[in-house]
Amino acid sequence: MYKIIPFLKKSLPFLMTLFLWRMSVHFWNPAGILALIPIFYYTFVRHTKWFALFGFIFCFLIDYRCNLPLFWSCIYCLFYAADGFQNYIDIEHMDNNAQFGFMFFSGLGIILLIFSGLTWLNLVNNIWLFLWLNVLYIPITHLDNWAKQ
C-alpha cells in the first residue's frame, strides 16, 4: 500500500492526460481536447520529468483526431520555446496556477481555428471550446494540488 500511493502520485499527470484524451465526446470533449489542460499544466507550471515528450505526443494525437496536421503540436512547441526565455516569460510563477497563461495558450490556437474557416457555426463552437477549456482548467489543476498533499 505504501508503494502504490507514491507511484500513483508520480503517474497522475500521465494517467490524467491519457484519461482526458481517451474520453472524447463530440460536444463536451471533441477529439480529446481537454487533454491540453494537463499537458499545459504539467509541462509549464509544474515541471514533470519526461512530460514534455509525452505532451508533444498527445498534442500530435489530438491533431490526428481533429484532422489538423501539427496544429496544436506547433503551438505547444512555440510555448515550450517561449518558456525557455524565463527572464521575460515565467509561466511557472504566475498566479492561479498560470490560468492566464493557459488562456493565452488555448486562445491563440482557437483564434487561429476561428479564422481558418470563418462561419457562424465555427465561431460559436470555438468560443464554446475556449470557455469550456478555461473553466475546467481550475478544477483539474486543483485536483493535482489536492492529490499532491
Side-chain angles (χ1 to χ4, degrees), residues 54-80:
F54 188 77
F56 179 76
I57 290 169
F58 269 87
C59 283
F60 179 77
L61 291 174
I62 290 169
D63 289 337
Y64 178 74
R65 275 193 177 174
C66 289
N67 199 16
L68 297 168
L70 298 177
F71 179 74
W72 288 108
S73 303
C74 288
I75 292 175
Y76 176 78
C77 289
L78 177 74
F79 268 75
Y80 193 77

Side-chain angles (χ1 to χ4, degrees), residues 12-31:
L12 178 70
F14 303 97
L15 295 175
M16 188 184 307
T17 305
L18 183 62
F19 176 76
L20 287 173
W21 177 76
R22 186 69 180 119
M23 299 308 279
S24 66
V25 179
H26 179 67
F27 183 73
W28 300 105
N29 187 11

